């Protein structure tokens, strides 16, 4: 899944980026408010990690602009402003969660996973379809209790499809969640990746809707 990290503190940004990347996320990072606003308006993200004290335009203003435009991307606020009134302002502006600085990376990651799950209509950290299990905390996939060995790209694809089980995910949406901006998104890359993933998964779990995209067959429990 693709995440936007808006943080002007290089040390914090480096630690957050390292944590998210190690946890299977694809991360774009911005330092300034104007750039962050533009990214959130023009790119599709599974979630946004937003610092309030950005130069040029503060995070609350950015968030209010996004919400006024009807953009529902889940947002986790990171801020040195830890007064309860600041937290209320952040939630009222449309944030899905608010984490004061300093914070533990494990807590940030857990909160981010939670807002991503909730936005996709999922509640549990472990996603299951029949005998297939994906543990978002451990980044482990198993079938009938037997571990499946997926590449990072295969894991990201399966995770995104499971989070959005029950709807058809368009080809372009999958590409935007799996590849960085500067990566070559070959027209056949998604089809090739789906083919590789299918060979490792139960039969017919991923269904192709010709001309529309891909969907996971069966309810997620």
């Amino acid at each position: 899944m693709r995440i936007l990290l808006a943080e002007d503190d290089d040390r914090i940004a480096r630690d957050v980026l390292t944590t998210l990347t190690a946890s299977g996320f694809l991360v774009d990072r911005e330092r300034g408010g104007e750039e962050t606003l533009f990214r959130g308006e023009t790119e599709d993200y599974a979630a946004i990690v937003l610092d309030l004290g950005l130069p040029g335009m503060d995070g609350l203003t950015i968030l209010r602009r996004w919400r006024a435009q009807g953009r529902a991307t889940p947002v986790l606020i990171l801020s040195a402003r830890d007064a309860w009134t600041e937290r209320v302002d952040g939630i009222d502006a449309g944030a899905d969660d608010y984490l004061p600085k300093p914070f533990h990376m494990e807590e940030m990651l857990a909160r981010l996973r939670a807002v991503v799950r909730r936005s996709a209509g999922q509640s549990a950290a472990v996603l299951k379809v029949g005998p297939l299990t994906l543990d978002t905390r451990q980044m482990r996939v198993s079938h009938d209790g037997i571990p499946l060995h997926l590449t990072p790209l295969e894991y990201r694809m399966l995770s995104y499809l499971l989070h959005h089980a029950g709807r058809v995910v368009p080809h372009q949406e999958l590409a935007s969640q799996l590849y960085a901006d500067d990566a070559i998104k070959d027209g056949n890359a998604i089809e090739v990746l789906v083919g590789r993933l299918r060979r490792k998964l139960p039969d017919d779990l991923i269904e192709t809707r010709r001309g529309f995209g891909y969907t996971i067959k069966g309810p997620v429990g």
Side-chain angles (χ1 to χ4, degrees), residues 115-160:
V115 300
V116 169
R117 289 198 307 270
R118 289 196 298 267
S119 73
Q122 307 292 346
S123 57
V126 178
L127 307 179
K128 297 181 180 180
V129 175
L132 183 77
T133 299
L134 184 146
D135 188 333
T136 62
R137 299 161 302 187
Q138 303 295 323
M139 296 175 60
R140 292 176 181 169
V141 180
S142 61
H143 180 243
D144 274 334
I146 300 173
L148 299 181
H149 301 289
L150 306 183
T151 67
L153 205 54
E154 291 167 351
Y155 175 84
R156 285 207 300 269
M157 172 176 275
L158 180 61
S159 177
Y160 194 80

Side-chain angles (χ1 to χ4, degrees), residues 40-203:
E41 290 176 338
T42 59
E43 301 282 348
D44 292 323
Y45 291 102
I48 298 172
V49 180
L50 179 65
D51 178 35
L52 291 188
L54 296 175
M57 181 182 295
D58 71 273
L60 277 184
T61 299
I62 294 169
L63 180 54
R64 290 188 179 110
R65 292 269 293 271
W66 286 336
R67 296 311 189 220
Q69 295 165 3
R71 301 187 182 280
T73 307
V75 172
L76 169 62
I77 284 179
L78 304 180
S79 178
R81 311 171 189 176
D82 60 353
W84 70 267
T85 53
E86 300 282 0
R87 294 196 292 272
V88 169
D89 287 343
I91 298 299
D92 282 347
D96 296 84
D97 203 349
Y98 191 112
L99 185 59
K101 299 176 181 178
F103 54 86
H104 292 288
M105 289 296 156
E106 292 82 0
E107 181 180 3
M108 179 276 303
L109 183 59
R111 288 175 180 267
L112 181 63
R113 286 195 301 251
V115 300
V116 169
R117 289 198 307 270
R118 289 196 298 267
S119 73
Q122 307 292 346
S123 57
V126 178
L127 307 179
K128 297 181 180 180
V129 175
L132 183 77
T133 299
L134 184 146
D135 188 333
T136 62
R137 299 161 302 187
Q138 303 295 323
M139 296 175 60
R140 292 176 181 169
V141 180
S142 61
H143 180 243
D144 274 334
I146 300 173
L148 299 181
H149 301 289
L150 306 183
T151 67
L153 205 54
E154 291 167 351
Y155 175 84
R156 285 207 300 269
M157 172 176 275
L158 180 61
S159 177
Y160 194 80
L161 289 173
L162 283 173
H163 274 86
H164 296 274
R167 77 174 179 88
V168 178
V169 180
H171 182 284
Q172 187 56 40
E173 181 179 338
L174 266 179
S176 71
Q177 294 294 326
L178 296 176
Y179 298 101
D181 281 345
D182 56 354
I184 297 175
K185 300 173 185 177
D186 182 87
N188 295 322
I190 295 296
E191 294 180 13
V192 171
L193 185 59
V194 168
R196 281 172 29 198
L197 195 51
R198 278 182 171 141
R199 290 193 287 272
K200 299 181 180 182
L201 298 177
D203 291 341

